[in-house]
Amino acid sequence: MQHRYSKYLNSLVLVIDILLLNVSFSLAYYFTFGTYEGLTIHPYSQILFFTNASWVILTLLGKPHEISRISNLSQIFRKIVRFIIVQLFAISAVLVLINQLDYSREQLIATYLVFPVLILIWRTIFIYSIRIYRKFGYNYRNVIIVGHGEIAEELKKFFRLHPEFGFRFLGFFDDQKEEFDQLIAGRISEIEDYSSTNRVDEIYCCLPYVRYSKIQKLINFGEKNFIKVKLIADFRGFQNKGLEIESYDSIPVLNVTSFPLDVRKNRFVKRAFDIFFSLIVILGIFSWLFPLVALLIKLDSRGPVFFKQKRTGKSNNNFWCWKFRTMEVNSKADSVQACPGDERITRLGSILRKTSIDELPQFFNVLLGNMSVVGPRPHMLSHTKEYSKKIERFMARHFVKPGITGLAQAKGYRGETRNVIFMKNRVKFDRFYIENWSIYLDIKIILLTILSLVKGDENAY
């Protein structure tokens, strides 16, 4: 068997997903009531029907059951969890709309505690089973590569090193073939005859090495013979992961500076989280801590309670960043960073800086929209000017809002920038954060920051 049953795999996944959803609903009913009696009568029969119908609708819209040969397990899990959360909200909304007070909330919660566990276990078993099956030479796809060069060799290497994905490489086709060249299976003009006798399933065209007119001819050939034609462009020199194809009428344009937070829904999620988290901190901590800290600052040294400074924000726009004042009023505050044993730091200021309490006013910056809870730390204007000349792609960190804490700070790169190497490492973490943002990463960074505060950070001074 090669891959004639592949078309049934997605249907199998969908059927078992629905089966597990019903099993979860039934088990949750039993956990809640100690019996299965009443499961098939109102209101549980109606809710069970809506649960199944809503999952089928979500599946048709987002296709969480479809699994690519090279799908990443973590990506699959995140997609499934998102769909389960959406379905839970949908069912909760229906219960509110129909004013169904007889329905057990405990049963609903139990269903959505059991279902994610079962479906993730099932998907893990399925994916690893099918990959082991393919590794032994079954359910494979015959592929050829058009155009020979460095990127083509790397693609061939990928096929050979990952048999679990089920690709069988047949050969290269290139018009530069010489009689003694054993690497090339044939010329591009010979592909049609070769495909008919060797059952080629996919054709990979390496754009740097093949003319457009020949690629177009191959695409037409593939459409007529149910062969998938895929285009390979060499973008290995671009470090950004956020490559995105945009359409300008009929012209495809590749955006090489696309990041997760360029997507509107991601920005909405991040902004909603920022507001929610900031309000909790301001109402739960700042409201009672502020009068105490303000009084202590006034008693400890002369000067204002707050310190404000121009910092570099998103898109290189400047904003006023607020902190509790931790230094004696001085003329070097905007040009010289604090360092160990800095005589400008007050006695109280040393405590505030070590505990990061001095940063609390920045949650108002978050509410104002100048900052985010998590993001690259904002620098003094003088530092932005200095390091933008010394570090390549330094300004890329300003594609997003600066944060009260960030991945670099959670990894220990906080406080004084002692040298260029230290700043380069900080920028490296900042760029990784921008290119890989997720709400889960934000939460992880917040937890790491809290853990760092509890343990104490030698760079906090």
Side-chain angles (χ1 to χ4, degrees):
M1 186 190 77
Q2 292 180 10
H3 68 275
R4 62 180 181 272
Y5 297 132
S6 292
K7 61 184 179 180
Y8 301 116
L9 290 179
N10 288 330
S11 298
L12 173 65
V13 172
L14 174 59
V15 169
I16 296 183
D17 284 353
I18 294 175
L19 176 63
L20 292 178
L21 179 59
N22 285 270
V23 169
S24 302
F25 191 94
S26 301
L27 287 175
Y29 187 91
Y30 184 81
F31 293 156
T32 304
F33 301 106
T35 179
Y36 289 111
E37 293 181 9
L39 181 61
T40 58
I41 61 176
H42 180 80
Y44 292 92
S45 59
Q46 287 83 348
I47 297 299
L48 181 58
F49 172 80
F50 178 77
T51 301
N52 282 276
S54 61
W55 187 259
V56 171
I57 293 171
L58 287 172
T59 296
L60 293 175
L61 292 174
K63 304 186 184 304
H65 65 295
E66 293 189 355
I67 300 175
S68 165
R69 285 176 177 261
I70 59 172
S71 292
N72 182 286
L73 203 59
S74 63
Q75 292 175 337
I76 294 172
F77 285 176
R78 285 198 296 269
K79 187 174 184 180
I80 291 172
V81 169
R82 284 199 301 269
F83 273 79
I84 290 175
I85 292 173
V86 169
Q87 188 189 36
L88 175 59
F89 282 137
I91 293 174
S92 300
V94 168
L95 291 174
V96 172
L97 288 174
I98 64 177
N99 196 25
Q100 184 51 259
L101 301 179
D102 296 332
Y103 184 75
S104 170
R105 272 54 176 175
E106 290 79 5
Q107 194 270 345
L108 178 65
I109 294 172
T111 298
Y112 286 94
L113 288 176
V114 174
F115 182 45
V117 174
L118 292 182
I119 197 170
L120 294 181
I121 291 174
W122 143 241
R123 286 292 172 79
T124 302
I125 293 173
F126 171 77
I127 290 171
Y128 279 107
S129 298
I130 199 69
R131 286 182 178 175
I132 291 172
Y133 185 67
R134 287 168 177 161
K135 196 170 185 177
F136 281 102
Y138 301 99
N139 190 244
Y140 61 84
R141 289 179 179 172
N142 288 325
V143 302
I144 63 173
I145 300 175
V146 182
H148 184 254
E150 186 179 348
I151 188 74
E153 283 289 347
E154 288 199 18
L155 185 59
K156 168 194 169 184
K157 184 179 179 181
F158 173 83
F159 292 146
R160 292 278 172 85
L161 290 177
H162 297 283
E164 70 274 14
F165 293 141
F167 294 104
R168 180 171 292 182
F169 173 69
L170 301 181
F172 296 108
F173 285 79
D174 195 294
D175 286 343
Q176 304 303 317
K177 173 180 171 60
E178 301 293 341
E179 300 241 347
F180 57 85
D181 194 343
Q182 301 299 317
L183 292 174
I184 311 300
R187 298 182 183 277
I188 296 176
S189 58
E190 299 170 354
I191 290 177
E192 294 188 14
D193 291 337
Y194 182 89
S195 298
S196 62
T197 57
N198 292 274
R199 200 190 57 75
V200 173
D201 300 302
E202 296 182 357
I203 299 174
Y204 290 82
C205 298
C206 295
L207 294 179
Y209 320 124
V210 188
R211 289 187 177 182
Y212 172 78
S213 58
K214 294 183 178 182
I215 292 176
Q216 187 61 54
K217 187 177 180 181
L218 286 175
I219 292 174
N220 294 335
F221 168 73
E223 289 179 349
K224 293 177 182 177
N225 294 274
F226 303 101
I227 298 174
K228 291 184 177 180
V229 178
K230 300 183 179 181
L231 308 182
I232 307 297
D234 191 356
F235 294 110
R236 292 169 298 169
F238 298 95
Q239 297 180 5
N240 297 75
K241 291 186 177 181
L243 299 178
E244 178 186 17
I245 294 180
E246 301 171 345
S247 180
Y248 293 18
D249 287 336
S250 61
I251 304 173
V253 177
L254 187 67
N255 181 359
V256 298
T257 56
S258 175
F259 305 112
L261 286 172
D262 288 338
V263 180
R264 183 178 299 176
K265 69 175 182 180
N266 289 342
R267 293 199 303 272
F268 174 81
V269 170
K270 185 169 177 62
R271 181 61 179 153
F273 177 80
D274 282 345
I275 293 173
F276 175 74
F277 191 87
S278 297
L279 287 175
I280 289 178
V281 173
I282 291 171
L283 297 176
I285 301 176
F286 191 85
S287 58
W288 60 267
L289 189 61
F290 165 67
L292 176 62
V293 173
L295 177 61
L296 292 175
I297 290 174
K298 283 295 187 181
L299 292 175
D300 187 54
S301 61
R302 290 185 176 182
V305 171
F306 295 109
F307 168 74
K308 68 174 184 176
Q309 185 180 67
K310 279 285 184 72
R311 299 281 180 100
T312 307
K314 182 181 177 183
S315 302
N316 204 29
N317 293 320
N318 302 333
F319 71 99
W320 287 108
C321 182
W322 291 84
K323 301 176 67 175
F324 282 123
R325 182 175 60 83
T326 58
M327 291 183 174
E328 301 283 356
V329 177
N330 67 94
S331 59
K332 297 181 180 180
D334 292 332
S335 57
V336 180
Q337 280 186 301
C339 59
D342 197 319
E343 295 181 353
R344 296 173 298 167
I345 300 176
T346 64
R347 290 171 298 175
L348 177 64
S350 178
I351 298 173
L352 296 180
R353 296 175 76 92
K354 284 183 178 295
T355 57
S356 293
I357 291 175
D358 62 320
E359 311 284 0
L360 284 179
Q362 289 167 31
F363 282 101
F364 288 100
N365 279 117
V366 175
L367 290 182
L368 291 171
N370 299 321
M371 295 179 64
S372 178
V373 175
V374 180
R377 282 294 294 164
H379 290 157
M380 296 187 297
L381 303 187
S382 59
H383 273 183
T384 300
K385 184 177 180 180
E386 175 187 355
Y387 288 108
S388 62
K389 298 176 181 178
K390 295 180 178 180
I391 300 176
E392 185 180 2
R393 298 180 66 208
F394 174 85
M395 295 304 291
R397 66 195 301 277
H398 300 112
F399 274 115
V400 299
K401 292 178 183 178
I404 297 175
T405 186
L407 182 60
Q409 286 66 41
K411 294 294 185 178
Y413 290 93
R414 62 170 293 182
E416 180 192 13
T417 309
R418 294 185 289 273
N419 52 53
V420 175
I421 300 299
F422 191 90
M423 179 61 86
K424 281 184 177 180
N425 289 332
R426 178 183 288 185
V427 172
K428 187 184 299 183
F429 280 114
D430 289 340
R431 289 210 310 260
F432 178 89
Y433 171 79
I434 294 170
E435 294 166 10
N436 297 273
W437 175 87
S438 71
I439 194 64
Y440 310 107
L441 181 58
D442 273 6
I443 294 172
K444 180 179 179 179
I445 291 171
I446 291 172
L447 294 176
L448 287 174
T449 302
I450 294 172
L451 181 62
S452 175
L453 291 174
V454 173
K455 292 168 58 178
D457 192 331
E458 63 180 11
N459 292 323
Y461 43 76

